[in-house]
Amino acid sequence: MSGAPGAKQILVCDDEPHLREMVAEYLAERGYDVVEAPNANDMKRLLESLEPALIILDVNMPGTDGLTALRDLRTTSTVPVIMLTAASDVIDRVVGLEMGADDYVGKPVDLRELEARIKAALRRRSFDETSAQQKDRHAGTVPFGTCRLDLDGARLIGGDGQEIAITSMEYQLLRVFVENRGRVLNRDQLLEQAHDKGWEPFDRSIDLRISRLRRKIELNPTKPETIRTVRGLGYVFD
């Protein structure tokens, strides 16, 4: 039974046909794409070609029970799983959660509660995926004021995730500051470490370049807090 095109897919695995049909019909009416499996073996076969957003898995099934199926599933997948358990089976609930279940619903199933727990599990999954993406995006980068400097890609990324155009010399200057964090650098040191042969000694254009960088990375370029001027000495990256 299916919901709207592009809907989140839910796999319902339970040996009771009436319960599967009831859950599938209820969720389909609410826009989910529902796939049914009468046992753990059929669920396993379906998972060879499907990637559901969530699985509803009964604990007590003939043949391979739900806890065994969950244990096998967790060796290869992190898909959210909501277990269906008898209302009195507290031990099954505890064991299921310890084995990697995301939640449980007692039988007889309250469909509104089940839907609420599905939504909560999907929200948690979405949050975890977003956090992981942010972590990956930030790997190999250094915070720079309101931005991040991508050392591998030689890019400056703004707070909104968009790339900010910088010249090769601006990147070299930022890299030098990263390598000397907390250390005051004078113009000669910056000229030398940035390796720009086009600059003449004591070239004051470095001040202009830093001023331009501040407009890109500082919240208030007139009162810089990221690349500070140390009067009479030079600049420091805090």
Side-chain angles (χ1 to χ4, degrees):
M1 185 176 295
S2 298
K8 284 184 169 60
Q9 189 173 75
I10 307 292
L11 195 161
V12 181
C13 181
D14 193 293
D15 65 304
E16 300 179 42
H18 173 69
L19 186 144
R20 286 200 317 273
E21 293 171 5
M22 179 182 67
V23 171
E25 182 178 357
Y26 182 86
L27 294 179
E29 289 175 351
R30 281 148 184 81
Y32 293 96
D33 176 20
V34 184
V35 180
E36 300 178 43
N39 54 61
N41 289 335
D42 280 12
M43 180 185 77
K44 185 176 181 180
R45 282 193 290 271
L46 285 170
L47 291 175
E48 293 176 357
S49 57
L50 300 178
E51 293 185 5
L54 181 141
I55 295 174
I56 298 171
L57 179 61
D58 184 28
V59 170
N60 296 309
M61 293 186 294
T64 303
D65 62 80
L67 293 177
T68 301
L70 174 65
R71 182 189 62 199
D72 294 342
L73 178 67
R74 282 293 175 252
T75 63
T76 59
S77 175
T78 60
V79 60
V81 175
I82 295 179
M83 307 294 294
L84 299 182
T85 69
S88 60
D89 289 341
V90 177
I91 292 178
D92 283 345
R93 299 180 184 184
V94 173
V95 172
L97 292 172
E98 289 179 344
M99 292 177 63
D102 294 82
D103 206 343
Y104 65 85
V105 172
K107 290 185 175 182
V109 175
D110 183 305
L111 294 175
R112 290 174 299 178
E113 178 188 2
L114 177 61
E115 182 186 10
R117 293 183 181 274
I118 289 172
K119 289 179 177 179
L122 293 177
R123 281 196 302 268
R124 289 193 297 269
R125 179 57 176 258
S126 178
F127 176 81
D128 291 343
E129 289 177 345
T130 300
S131 298
Q133 290 169 0
Q134 290 175 342
K135 184 176 179 180
D136 290 342
R137 186 167 63 248
H138 289 170
T141 68
V142 177
F144 237 108
T146 60
C147 309
R148 301 189 72 88
L149 181 66
D150 179 356
L151 296 173
D152 295 328
R155 301 181 305 155
L156 186 65
I157 310 299
D160 59 358
Q162 299 299 310
E163 182 174 353
I164 297 174
I166 55 173
T167 66
S168 61
M169 182 47 54
E170 287 172 337
Y171 167 72
Q172 292 295 342
L173 276 173
L174 291 174
R175 182 185 56 78
V176 169
F177 279 120
V178 168
E179 294 171 351
N180 294 273
R181 187 166 194 151
R183 178 186 175 193
V184 178
L185 299 172
N186 60 36
R187 292 186 185 86
D188 287 346
Q189 291 170 318
L190 289 169
L191 287 167
E192 179 181 354
Q193 294 186 49
H195 303 296
D196 187 345
K197 298 179 180 179
W199 284 3
E200 295 295 332
F202 309 110
D203 187 346
R204 301 286 295 192
S205 68
I206 193 168
D207 299 326
L208 177 60
R209 292 175 188 264
I210 289 178
S211 177
R212 288 175 178 169
L213 278 175
R214 283 171 169 167
R215 289 198 292 271
K216 297 177 181 181
I217 66 174
E218 300 279 1
L219 281 173
N220 184 354
T222 63
K223 296 180 180 179
E225 297 180 352
T226 304
I227 300 178
R228 293 191 299 106
T229 299
V230 180
R231 192 174 298 277
L233 294 176
Y235 300 95
V236 60
F237 168 46
D238 286 337

